[in-house]
Amino acid sequence: MKTIRLALTLALACAALLPQFAHAQFATGGTGLHRSRIFWVDWGNNGQNVYSGATITRGFNIGTPATTANRLDITCTLSNANTTAGTQGLFVYTPGSWQGDGLDELYNIGGNQPGTGTNPNTLSVGLRVNGGSTVEFDFNCSATLGGAPFALTGLVFADAEASGGSEYVAARLTSGGTLRVIDQISQCGSSSTVNVIAGTPQEVRFNGPTAPQNSCESNATASLRAGPSLVGFVDGATGARVIARGGGVSAVAVGAVLELEFSEAIPASYGIAAHVLNSAWTGGVAANGVNFNNPANLATLIYNARLGATVSPDVDATGAVGGSDVDALPKTTGPLGAGYANVAAPNALPGGSYTIANVACVGPAQVRGWIDFNGNGVFDGAEASNAAACAAGSGSVSLTWTLPTGGGYVAQPTSHLRLRLAPALSGVAAATGVSTNGEVEDYRIALPALVPSLRIGKISQTQTGTFNFTATNLSSAAFAVTTTASATLATSASANVSSTAAVVTITEAVPAGWTIASASCSDANAAITGNPASFGSLAGAVLTVPTSALRARADITCTYNNRLLTADLAISKSEVGGASAFTPGATSTYTLQACNSAGPDAASGASISDPLPSGVRLTGPWSCSGSGGGVCPGSGGALDDTAVAVAGIDLPVGACVNVSVPVRFSPNASDY
């Protein structure tokens, strides 16, 4: 938030002339207290005589794009000049052309007169009188905003020459007002003198030291030669009779008074907001015998309607988002640096409410905010909060937004927030444009994801692999997770929950030889959402996430823990009767027994393969039977087969299967 005070300035300076070209603009250098508040007006080319009168209009657009509605024009008129002593003449002049000038020390462009040598100042806004002359003239200013009359708050009257002896600068308050001293300079420590001349109208004179040696102009140190000089503000008047009495050459500079408060330097796409301020001055009333070169005696500004505690002036909308006067909300840092609003982030689903509490303000006034929820670089009308009434005096308000649904809300590490305050509701109707009085402040703000999201985690024991899943009620219906290290978590990409009113189900396609040891879900944002430490119910390979866990900002990971199936399998082979020898040409039957004695897992789909020795052949199909829950095919094989192959055996823990194999032995010894 930035402020411009455009101040009518009447500044006297004694000097020799240097040919400079003047422009209407703000000072960019100097030590003046109100450098950002004074919009200087030039009257022509250096040396040009305007004694016969002149009317000058200078202006600019408040905001972009430039339109007739935001055009501010200031018109100042110099008229009715007369000379009570010396010769006639008012000539355009560049302050700092003489080493004792004070105006260039306070307000300049390009630098100040260092006390000797060349003057670098290019702010040519002075009007000089001839040496030994006393010239009076009427000075009046008015302004328009968007073509309509706009009230100015007063004039500034300044002695920039450091008058001494019989010299003085005076303002005769022909239009009323109160003259306050608002700025000063005295590099050598000498004091100016204020003389208030009683009468109607009142006249206030700024004199330098009576003894010339008490002025700073002849100080042995060149850098201490400016002043003493005072700057006065004619509070409540837009015209006055100006008097310049010089012992040598003297000069005045003129301008106009106005204050504008601008939005910050966020992306230009958001547009500029500006508030025309209505501040008040306190203290510093001109009085005889007061040392106004003491800064403690100067007038100060009061801003009645504002955000936070301060309003800082500036010339345009280039101030930092993290500036000290952006103070309606506490600030922190973020991805782009300073200026992030240190407030609670949204914590509701789209369509719900988001409230920022404790927006500091001074009223009576109305306050409204805008947040770029969709990240399009514009404060849309639907992104406005309610308007909240700020009571008179210091206080705070709460602002509430409705969180957009659909694509109206986009999670962003950096979005922007604008706050506006104005006395009337119409002054905060839009995020851009010019409003009367008040203030605007811009912040950066982080917007987290609101819709709950879910990813699948996988931990595989002993061996690694790729595991496939299907899901319901998620933006993705299929997931693949590959583990690369035993007992180490691997995760899928995240998917959004499609509806918080329906459960989410996840089903694993369990690979052969693997089993699900456990599966459950957790929420990384449980401290925000209030979700329990663990949730979800597992039935077989299906994990169900309840609707109660699908809360705004939930960041859910559902983790499956898989391990290889393990069974204590044993196989034995025996011949009927326990014979250890055979008779060529004879037949016999032997038994294959497979058992799962201790598990811990059941063996499903196991198989037995037993190649027969040379010279041995089946005499027919083998047969299989189970015990303790063992299951196998009833029979298989054929006459003269040379191997036994039994597949599809299921062996629960403690179960066995027995395969009875009939064989014959070849009568030929050479077959063995």
Side-chain angles (χ1 to χ4, degrees):
M1 167 276 313
K2 281 94 24 209
T3 306
I4 301 173
R5 175 177 296 276
L6 302 173
L8 169 83
T9 303
L10 307 172
L12 181 70
C14 293
L17 297 179
L18 288 176
Q20 303 271 359
F21 182 75
H23 303 275
Q25 55 200 309
F26 293 95
T28 58
T31 60
L33 297 175
H34 310 292
R35 191 179 72 188
S36 300
R37 298 180 174 103
I38 301 176
F39 183 70
W40 302 99
V41 179
D42 68 88
W43 296 93
N45 296 321
N46 197 40
Q48 181 179 342
N49 191 352
V50 295
Y51 183 85
S52 61
T55 297
I56 299 295
T57 298
R58 296 288 185 266
F60 54 91
N61 287 88
I62 304 171
T64 55
T67 66
T68 56
N70 62 25
R71 176 71 182 184
L72 171 68
D73 284 310
I74 305 160
T75 299
C76 293
T77 301
L78 184 157
S79 62
N80 301 323
N82 74 292
T83 301
T84 59
T87 60
Q88 295 181 352
L90 280 172
F91 304 94
V92 177
Y93 168 74
T94 304
S97 298
W98 175 65
Q99 66 182 23
D101 287 355
L103 181 60
D104 65 303
E105 301 286 342
L106 298 174
Y107 308 100
N108 67 68
I109 293 176
N112 60 281
Q113 161 63 252
T116 184
T118 303
N119 175 31
N121 182 27
T122 62
L123 192 61
S124 300
V125 293
L127 292 174
R128 70 170 176 85
V129 299
N130 290 324
S133 298
T134 301
V135 177
E136 299 182 5
F137 59 90
D138 292 332
F139 184 73
N140 294 274
C141 289
S142 62
T144 60
L145 179 60
F150 185 85
L152 300 173
T153 60
L155 310 176
V156 172
F157 163 72
D159 176 1
E161 180 267 337
S163 298
S166 63
E167 296 177 339
Y168 63 83
V169 178
R172 190 174 298 139
L173 308 184
T174 53
S175 298
T178 300
L179 197 146
R180 305 175 187 272
V181 184
I182 63 171
D183 209 347
Q184 61 80 36
I185 183 171
S186 179
Q187 291 183 327
C188 65
S190 296
S191 300
S192 302
T193 300
V194 173
N195 289 313
V196 179
I197 310 301
T200 304
Q202 186 185 67
E203 182 178 314
V204 179
R205 296 179 181 177
F206 292 166
N207 300 77
T210 302
Q213 64 270 22
N214 292 332
S215 295
C216 298
E217 62 192 71
S218 299
N219 194 283
T221 302
S223 61
L224 301 178
R225 290 175 179 169
S229 302
L230 301 178
V231 178
F233 176 69
V234 184
D235 193 356
T238 57
R241 185 74 173 171
V242 179
I243 307 165
R245 177 178 178 178
V249 174
S250 301
V252 290
V254 290
V257 170
L258 185 69
E259 282 186 298
L260 300 177
E261 198 283 316
F262 281 102
S263 50
E264 273 64 52
I266 62 176
S269 60
Y270 288 101
I272 292 175
H275 288 253
V276 181
L277 300 181
N278 184 20
S279 61
W281 295 81
T282 182
V285 177
N288 294 329
V290 177
N291 178 12
F292 288 103
N293 287 112
N294 179 355
N297 295 326
L298 299 178
T300 57
L301 280 166
I302 299 173
Y303 298 94
N304 293 317
R306 64 183 184 270
L307 292 164
T310 60
V311 178
S312 295
D314 204 351
V315 297
D316 52 31
T318 60
V321 178
S324 61
D325 56 326
V326 183
D327 58 358
L329 295 172
K331 300 185 294 294
T332 184
T333 56
L336 294 184
Y340 284 77
N342 191 7
V343 295
N347 193 26
L349 291 170
S353 295
Y354 173 48
T355 297
I356 295 179
N358 300 320
V359 179
C361 59
V362 176
Q366 298 288 324
V367 183
R368 176 171 273 141
W370 289 261
I371 298 175
D372 183 13
F373 288 117
N374 61 10
N376 67 346
V378 176
F379 292 121
D380 299 315
E383 295 175 330
S385 73
N386 65 307
C390 180
S394 298
S396 65
V397 297
S398 293
L399 299 178
T400 299
W401 288 260
T402 298
L403 296 170
T405 57
Y409 184 98
V410 176
Q412 307 164 64
T414 300
S415 185
H416 289 87
L417 159 68
R418 174 167 290 173
L419 302 177
R420 297 192 78 173
L421 175 148
L425 187 60
S426 59
V428 295
T432 59
V434 183
S435 296
T436 301
N437 212 348
E439 188 178 2
V440 55
E441 294 184 354
D442 289 337
Y443 298 82
R444 298 184 179 105
I445 188 170
L447 298 179
L450 299 181
V451 174
S453 62
L454 187 147
R455 66 182 58 81
I456 297 174
K458 186 69 177 179
I459 301 174
S460 60
Q461 304 293 340
T462 307
Q463 295 184 21
T464 60
T466 297
F467 302 86
N468 296 297
F469 301 82
T470 57
T472 64
N473 195 26
L474 293 178
S475 59
S476 178
F479 300 84
V481 183
T482 300
T483 60
T484 57
S486 175
T488 301
L489 177 67
T491 58
S492 70
S494 182
N496 288 336
V497 174
S498 299
S499 171
T500 57
V503 300
V504 173
T505 64
I506 305 166
T507 303
E508 181 179 8
V510 183
W514 291 83
T515 187
I516 301 173
S518 63
S520 64
C521 304
S522 63
D523 183 1
N525 282 340
I528 298 172
T529 64
N531 269 329
S534 178
F535 51 89
S537 58
L538 179 66
V542 180
L543 179 62
T544 300
V545 185
T547 58
S548 61
L550 305 180
R551 305 175 184 182
R553 296 182 63 184
D555 183 8
I556 299 170
T557 300
C558 292
T559 302
Y560 279 71
N561 195 324
N562 283 23
R563 61 180 174 81
L564 289 169
L565 287 168
T566 301
D568 184 14
L569 299 180
I571 189 167
S572 61
K573 183 176 182 179
S574 63
E575 195 171 353
V576 174
S580 59
F582 67 92
T583 302
T587 62
S588 182
T589 300
Y590 71 91
T591 301
L592 297 170
Q593 185 181 62
C595 295
N596 183 4
S597 301
D601 298 311
S604 178
S607 62
I608 297 174
S609 178
D610 183 27
L612 297 178
S614 178
V616 181
R617 299 287 186 273
L618 290 179
T619 61
W622 47 260
S623 62
C624 180
S625 63
S627 63
V631 177
C632 63
S635 63
L639 178 67
D640 291 334
D641 278 356
T642 60
V644 177
V646 186
I649 299 172
D650 293 335
L651 290 172
V653 178
C656 293
V657 293
N658 293 285
V659 181
S660 180
V661 183
V663 296
R664 63 178 174 81
F665 304 103
S666 173
N668 300 317
S670 61
D671 290 336
Y672 300 101

